[in-house]
Amino acid sequence: MLALLFSLSTILTNDGLAVGKDSNAYRKFNDFVTVYALSGYNATNFSISPRFNDLSRQRYLFNPPLLFGFGVAYKGLDLGLTRRLPNHLLNTDKYGKSDYTDFKFKASIQRFHLALRFQKYTGFTLLNYQSSNPQAINQHLIYEDLSTFSLNMDTRFFLKKDFQYGAAQGFSGEYLSDVWTPYVYGYFGGSNVKNKGSALLPNSMQNDQVSISQISGIGCLEFGAIPGAAFVKRLQNFQTMLLLGWGPLIQTKWHRDNQNARTFFGFSSRTDLQLSLGYHQERWFLQIMSEFQFRRVNFTQMNIQQYYYDLRLFFGYLIPVKKHPKIVLDLEERGFL
């Protein structure tokens, strides 16, 4: 796949604009490759709600660094990479420094949209921690080695034939009219929260009689399918998209300390929420996109809730393709692209 995308640089030309019309609702940029750059931020915060010692909800904050990334979209395939810049949104003296790696591969095939995503976030701060030293300047407790990790694969199937995800996003096409459709969101993935060498809760909140108070990590594996609805609104050069889904997932969950681990089986829920607003010209576009995910892992004596969200600004440019690779033409002829 990488070889296919990067080989496009040898087959580009400066021909005029030509788009392939695939329905009365949208048109795809069949004879173009879209290159784009982006900036914004990714973040994830989580909270721990202990059910012992009359403890209140403990909130862990990720200090989002600004990001820069780039990507290529072609025939519904989208490959991008983002990395952080040195700047953080919040004061690093109070909230520490955070780091993350985020990689996502996406492919839109007819009414299917497939995505594979890897995320790792490191560096969190326990907010409003009541330390044993009341004279301490910073009442937040910084966890430099606390990290979250997730790897997931998801699929969306849109029920109406006039909905194409690549065109709805604006990277591989654009819409000519308004459209909406129900969809099914299939999800399979795993995640964890762990603190290397130490417990998730500070020493003052631990209880020798409650083993879960001393755990250093929790994790889960989830799978299932949930319903949702997708909407696209076109108004002159502006295009908006909204995806909204919610439903239950089957969940296997565990927690571990330095000596042992315990595994449980249960159910959870998943929210699928995406929003985008784009301004399109003949050969370029500006796009604002935001995505939100919510994950819950509950145990008898402790609940963990985690939020993933991002806000990104894209600038994209369409470069015409003079000659398409034979493998791409073969896949198109078979209906895969």
Side-chain angles (χ1 to χ4, degrees):
M1 187 62 63
L2 284 169
L4 172 61
L5 291 174
F6 285 112
S7 68
L8 294 176
S9 60
T10 65
I11 55 174
L12 301 179
T13 185
N14 292 321
D15 292 346
L17 181 66
V19 292
K21 187 172 181 179
D22 294 272
S23 78
N24 293 326
Y26 66 87
R27 56 185 179 180
K28 295 172 66 178
F29 304 146
N30 283 333
D31 294 324
F32 287 78
V33 58
T34 301
V35 294
Y36 59 84
L38 64 97
S39 186
Y41 68 90
N42 282 20
T44 177
N45 300 327
F46 72 93
S47 64
I48 296 178
S49 299
R51 295 182 175 179
F52 53 86
N53 291 4
D54 295 324
L55 295 173
S56 60
R57 181 184 180 191
Q58 305 300 309
R59 298 171 54 225
Y60 293 77
L61 174 73
F62 181 84
N63 188 1
L66 294 176
L67 63 86
F68 176 78
F70 59 91
V72 180
Y74 175 61
K75 298 288 188 181
L77 305 179
D78 190 340
L79 184 64
L81 179 66
T82 62
R83 277 298 287 154
R84 77 173 188 86
L85 298 175
N87 310 91
H88 289 72
L89 293 187
L90 303 176
N91 188 318
T92 55
D93 291 333
K94 288 185 177 181
Y95 302 103
K97 294 182 179 181
S98 301
D99 193 12
Y100 78 92
T101 300
D102 188 334
F103 174 82
K104 190 172 187 178
F105 170 74
K106 300 178 288 186
S108 296
I109 305 172
Q110 303 299 333
R111 287 184 285 168
F112 284 94
H113 176 70
L114 311 175
L116 177 67
R117 189 166 193 173
F118 167 88
Q119 296 172 290
K120 184 175 182 181
Y121 297 78
T122 305
F124 288 81
T125 300
L126 176 58
L127 298 180
N128 301 317
Y129 168 66
Q130 299 300 317
S131 69
S132 57
N133 180 13
Q135 304 301 321
I137 297 176
N138 187 7
Q139 292 297 319
H140 307 308
L141 183 60
I142 297 175
Y143 285 79
E144 295 181 352
D145 296 324
L146 181 58
S147 66
T148 71
F149 166 85
S150 67
L151 177 64
N152 61 269
M153 179 176 63
D154 52 66
T155 301
R156 296 179 182 89
F157 176 70
F158 302 97
L159 275 64
K160 292 185 178 180
K161 65 179 182 180
D162 281 339
F163 193 91
Q164 208 277 339
Y165 186 79
Q169 279 194 314
F171 288 85
S172 298
E174 62 181 354
Y175 264 80
L176 308 174
S177 61
D178 302 344
V179 67
W180 83 276
T181 179
Y183 71 91
V184 178
Y185 176 76
Y187 177 87
F188 177 81
S191 65
N192 68 21
V193 177
K194 67 177 181 179
N195 190 23
K196 185 177 180 181
S198 301
L200 296 176
L201 293 173
N203 293 336
S204 60
M205 299 182 187
Q206 297 176 26
N207 186 331
D208 292 337
Q209 305 302 316
V210 182
S211 60
I212 199 171
S213 69
Q214 300 173 342
I215 62 172
S216 59
I218 62 100
C220 69
L221 181 67
E222 301 174 315
F223 62 93
I226 65 175
F231 306 86
V232 175
K233 176 71 176 179
R234 181 76 185 205
L235 180 61
Q236 296 181 354
N237 293 91
F238 291 92
Q239 178 173 307
T240 63
M241 179 192 71
L242 172 66
L243 267 65
L244 179 61
W246 182 88
L249 295 178
I250 298 173
Q251 182 185 75
T252 300
K253 53 193 175 182
W254 61 88
H255 60 71
R256 63 169 54 92
D257 55 28
N258 294 329
Q259 297 179 346
N260 53 57
R262 298 186 63 186
T263 303
F264 307 85
F265 176 83
F267 295 92
S268 184
S269 61
R270 174 53 51 91
T271 299
D272 181 35
L273 177 60
Q274 290 189 36
L275 177 65
S276 69
L277 171 62
Y279 178 80
H280 293 254
Q281 286 290 342
E282 186 178 17
R283 293 282 293 273
W284 61 270
F285 61 85
L286 286 173
Q287 190 98 348
I288 298 175
M289 298 189 66
S290 183
E291 185 172 355
F292 174 85
Q293 297 180 33
F294 172 72
R295 180 175 292 116
R296 178 189 294 113
V297 182
N298 293 340
F299 302 100
T300 302
Q301 295 178 305
M302 182 181 289
N303 294 341
I304 295 90
Q305 296 180 337
Q306 187 169 11
Y307 304 85
Y308 289 92
Y309 55 93
D310 61 47
L311 179 64
R312 301 190 179 196
L313 174 64
F314 295 83
F315 172 77
Y317 188 78
L318 305 181
I319 303 177
V321 178
K322 182 177 181 180
K323 183 178 180 181
H324 299 282
K326 185 177 183 303
I327 185 174
V328 172
L329 298 176
D330 290 342
L331 290 173
E332 271 192 317
E333 185 177 350
R334 298 179 183 181
F336 290 108
L337 294 177

